[in-house]
């Protein structure tokens, strides 16, 4: 047989099991790897690898505009911003605590001097006269809404300690200014390592009337707060970006359901005319309104086929709950807190959700301290010394006490804290810090209470509780017999 005959010969049929194995091997070879890497009709993926800044350049303005719209008009977004203000900042703010010592002995007078000077400056620390607590509230809300916050350091005798912060609208940082040769990315001029060198700011908001121009401000005068999620990321994006579309569609769905329910409730019926009794007259249909109820007038001979539509929809609650759980996951808060809904939450699920949510708030507190408060304190301290408000010249060893939370189950958690203290695996300082309290302040308050009560002849020593009575022995029936 020649070589040509071999090619012309019909191949023998392959057994069915062998065909199945060949198909499986071919499929696995073609799709070996990650399923998520496949381009499918039902999946929407980005097919290009781009630097984070390139994507931010394209979408920053729309993302910020949409986020501000949600903050103004969507109750869930408004609730999220309030949760950040309440839990990250709280009603007392983030407090400065100094730890100046001589050997092991704390120098309370020195510590109090620095802390009181900081508190006094914080009473009016911005150019518009706002205090530190108000500044922190607006900062955490704006950085979540807009993705970033800017402050400019201002010096002069008009401010306390000759120093103040000017809040800068992030819209003034021109995101359309990009120059590869000068290393300017969205208005931020950088060195070869990506460190900001200068910020190119508009002298006023781009939408404000009047003349405006760009001003190059050295980076040493700017505090730029945002949470980068990629290397060499120059600008921040709104924190709600992953759930922004879901929130918008959910809000529109609620609006439509409320409008439909209001329409159904206000429409009582229709008024029809009988053609046989009217003759040649054809009066104009008239609507009849009785309070909020409307009877719609129809032309003679007209009939209406009203669909049986029931509003509000019975599936509204279940669907909204499912969507809000997705939104809460994207915002890293508990669903019960975001939706203000604790109807189906038991003790275990509520505790687990709250603990996870509070851990996220603590992360934000640490980020705010390291990125904003500590650099601000380092810039303020030399000026406070020059102004004569702080006489201590060495490092005051500052630390910061953020807002804490009460225990979910006080009786069990207090007992666990006492057991940890007795086992010497926990300290009072850390236990109190979890509640947002400072050990030194608590001890001072206890001493003040004891002194004041003693001056009035009152003993604050807690009374010894009597032990519970021992159970009565049960009589053995066999012994009694």
């Amino acid at each position: 047989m020649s070589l040509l005959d071999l090619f012309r010969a019909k191949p023998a049929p392959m057994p069915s099991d062998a065909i199945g194995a060949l198909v499986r091997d071919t499929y696995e070879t073609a799709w070996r790897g990650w399923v998520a890497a496949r381009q499918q009709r039902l999946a929407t993926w980005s097919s290009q690898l781009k630097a984070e800044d390139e994507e931010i350049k394209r979408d920053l303005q729309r993302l910020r505009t949409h986020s501000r719209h949600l903050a103004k008009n969507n109750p869930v977004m408004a609730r999220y911003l309030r949760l950040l203000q309440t839990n990250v900042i709280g009603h007392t703010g983030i407090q400065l605590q100094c730890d100046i010592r001589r050997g092991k002995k704390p120098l309370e007078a020195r510590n109090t001097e620095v802390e009181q000077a900081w508190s006094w400056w914080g009473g009016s620390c911005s150019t518009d006269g706002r205090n530190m607590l108000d500044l922190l509230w607006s900062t955490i809300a704006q950085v979540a809404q807009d993705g970033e916050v800017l402050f400019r350091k201002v010096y002069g005798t008009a401010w306390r300690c000759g120093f103040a912060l000017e809040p800068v609208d992030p819209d003034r940082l021109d995101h359309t200014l990009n120059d590869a040769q000068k290393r300017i990315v969205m208005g931020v001029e950088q060195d070869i390592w990506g460190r900001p060198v200068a910020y190119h700011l508009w002298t006023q908001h781009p939408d404000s009337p009047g003349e405006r121009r760009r001003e190059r401000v050295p980076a040493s005068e700017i505090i730029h707060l945002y949470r980068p999620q990629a290397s060499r990321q120059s600008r921040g994006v709104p924190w709600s970006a992953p759930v922004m579309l879901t929130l918008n569609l959910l809000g529109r769905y609620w609006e439509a359901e409320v409008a439909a329910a209001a329409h159904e409730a206000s429409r009582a019926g229709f008024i029809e005319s009988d053609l046989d009794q009217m003759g040649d007259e054809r009066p104009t249909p008239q609507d009849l309104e009785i309070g909020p109820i409307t009877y719609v007038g129809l032309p003679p001979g007209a009939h209406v086929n009203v669909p049986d539509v029931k509003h509000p929809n019975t599936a509204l609650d279940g669907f909204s709950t499912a969507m809000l759980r997705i939104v809460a996951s994207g915002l890293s808060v508990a669903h019960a807190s975001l939706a203000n809904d604790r109807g189906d939450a038991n003790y275990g699920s509520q505790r687990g959700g709250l603990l996870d949510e509070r851990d996220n708030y603590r992360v934000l507190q640490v980020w705010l301290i390291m990125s904003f408060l500590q650099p601000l304190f380092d810039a303020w301290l030399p000026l406070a010394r020059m102004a004569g408000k702080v006489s201590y010249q060495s490092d005051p060893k500052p630390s910061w006490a953020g807002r804490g939370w009460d225990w979910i189950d006080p009786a069990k958690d207090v007992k666990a804290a006492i057991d940890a203290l007795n086992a010497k695996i926990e300290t009072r300082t850390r236990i109190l810090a979890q509640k947002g309290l400072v050990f030194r302040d608590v001890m001072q308050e206890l001493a003040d209470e004891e002194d004041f009560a003693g001056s009035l002849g009152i003993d604050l020593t807690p009374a010894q509780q009597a032990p519970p009575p021992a159970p009565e022995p049960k009589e053995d029936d066999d012994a009694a017999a």
Side-chain angles (χ1 to χ4, degrees):
M1 182 180 293
S2 65
L3 184 61
L4 183 60
D5 294 335
L6 286 175
F7 278 104
R8 289 176 177 175
K10 183 181 294 185
M14 185 176 295
S16 59
D17 55 345
I19 293 176
L22 179 61
V23 170
R24 287 194 300 271
D25 292 343
T26 304
Y27 179 82
E28 291 178 0
T29 302
W31 290 112
R32 185 171 293 132
W34 287 270
V35 176
R38 306 173 188 172
Q39 290 291 341
Q40 300 182 4
R41 181 175 58 86
L42 298 179
T44 303
W45 303 103
S46 174
S47 59
Q48 296 181 351
L49 286 176
K50 288 189 175 182
E52 192 75 9
D53 278 344
E54 294 301 318
E55 296 181 349
I56 295 175
K57 287 178 188 178
R58 180 190 62 201
D59 298 335
L60 178 61
Q61 185 172 1
R62 287 191 297 270
L63 283 175
R64 186 170 293 165
T65 302
H66 296 170
S67 180
R68 291 177 181 177
H69 175 82
L70 289 175
K72 294 175 182 176
N73 300 285
N74 189 284
V76 179
M77 184 65 174
R79 168 76 173 170
Y80 172 61
L81 298 180
R82 290 290 181 267
L83 285 174
L84 291 176
Q85 291 177 321
T86 303
N87 290 277
V88 178
I89 307 302
H91 66 285
T92 59
I94 300 178
Q95 303 294 322
L96 170 68
Q97 298 293 323
C98 296
D99 190 19
I100 303 173
R101 295 171 177 266
R102 179 179 293 138
K104 295 184 178 181
K105 181 181 178 181
L107 301 179
E108 294 301 331
R110 296 290 191 184
N111 292 324
T112 302
E113 177 191 35
V114 180
E115 293 166 5
Q116 288 182 350
W118 172 260
S119 178
W120 172 78
W121 177 77
S124 180
C125 57
S126 68
T127 53
D128 54 4
R130 285 188 288 170
N131 57 52
M132 179 61 70
L133 182 58
D134 190 24
L135 211 62
L136 289 174
W137 282 335
S138 62
T139 296
I140 193 64
Q142 186 180 5
V143 76
Q145 172 188 281
D146 294 343
E148 57 187 358
V149 173
L150 289 96
F151 294 99
R152 184 174 183 177
K153 302 173 187 176
V154 180
Y155 305 90
T157 57
W159 325 113
R160 294 183 178 183
C161 298
F163 177 57
L165 292 176
E166 177 194 2
V168 178
D169 193 317
D171 292 348
R172 289 175 54 192
L173 183 55
D174 188 5
H175 71 281
T176 65
L177 179 61
N178 296 277
D179 190 328
Q181 293 183 348
K182 296 181 179 180
R183 297 193 183 93
I184 300 177
V185 182
M186 291 180 285
V188 182
E189 185 177 337
Q190 304 171 347
D191 62 13
I192 61 173
W193 307 109
R195 185 188 297 271
V197 174
Y199 289 81
H200 294 261
L201 304 175
W202 291 114
T203 52
Q204 60 180 356
H205 193 278
D207 195 41
S208 298
E211 183 182 358
R212 60 185 172 91
R213 57 182 177 82
R214 289 195 189 99
E215 180 183 9
R216 185 181 183 275
V217 180
S220 59
E221 298 181 12
I222 296 293
I223 297 177
H224 187 192
L225 293 178
Y226 67 100
R227 297 188 69 191
Q229 298 187 5
S231 60
R232 296 274 179 128
Q233 181 177 334
S234 305
R235 302 289 297 268
V237 296
W239 295 357
S240 61
V243 298
M244 203 176 288
L245 178 60
T246 304
L247 272 179
N248 180 265
L249 295 178
L250 188 59
R252 291 173 56 192
Y253 172 59
W254 288 338
E255 184 180 355
E257 281 292 338
V258 172
H263 179 71
E264 291 291 327
S266 63
R267 186 185 62 186
F270 300 92
I271 303 175
E272 297 183 355
S273 303
D274 192 347
L275 287 174
D276 296 335
Q277 299 179 2
M278 296 183 61
D280 295 334
E281 294 187 21
R282 294 293 185 267
T284 303
Q286 299 291 329
D287 296 342
L288 177 62
E289 296 185 2
I290 304 176
I293 305 300
T294 301
Y295 292 85
V296 181
L298 298 178
H303 297 277
V304 177
N305 183 14
V306 180
D308 186 15
V309 180
K310 295 181 180 179
H311 288 282
N313 196 328
T314 56
L316 172 64
D317 185 60
F319 177 75
S320 298
T321 299
M323 292 298 100
L324 285 177
R325 285 198 176 100
I326 296 175
V327 172
S329 298
L331 297 177
S332 299
V333 297
H335 165 260
S337 299
L338 183 66
N340 202 15
D341 177 17
R342 294 167 176 82
D344 59 347
N346 55 32
Y347 172 77
S349 63
Q350 185 175 353
R351 179 186 176 91
L354 284 178
L355 290 177
D356 184 60
E357 181 182 7
R358 290 174 179 180
D359 285 341
N360 179 60
Y361 292 143
R362 289 190 180 96
V363 170
L364 293 178
Q365 286 177 345
V366 173
W367 168 77
L368 195 60
I369 290 169
M370 296 179 63
S371 302
F372 179 52
L373 288 175
Q374 187 59 50
L376 182 60
F377 178 82
D378 294 338
W380 165 83
L381 185 59
L383 299 172
R385 286 169 175 160
M386 293 175 59
K389 298 298 180 180
V390 175
S391 60
Y392 186 69
Q393 298 299 316
S394 299
D395 181 14
K397 295 181 173 58
S399 61
W400 305 88
R403 178 253 160 100
W405 298 269
D406 290 329
W407 290 301
I408 300 175
D409 189 343
K412 293 181 180 179
D413 291 334
V414 169
K415 183 179 183 304
I418 294 174
D419 292 341
L421 284 174
N422 293 334
K424 300 185 187 304
I425 59 174
E426 189 59 284
T427 64
R428 293 175 175 84
T429 300
R430 293 184 178 181
I431 292 174
L432 291 173
Q434 293 176 0
K435 291 173 61 64
L437 302 174
V438 180
F439 173 76
R440 193 182 68 191
D441 294 344
V442 173
M443 294 299 105
Q444 186 62 53
E445 290 179 7
L446 289 174
D448 293 342
E449 287 182 355
E450 293 285 349
D451 293 342
F452 181 70
S455 66
L456 301 177
I458 300 175
D459 186 10
L460 295 181
T461 304
Q464 296 293 331
Q465 296 183 354
E472 296 181 1
K474 294 183 179 180
E475 185 176 359
D476 192 347
D477 295 337
D478 295 338

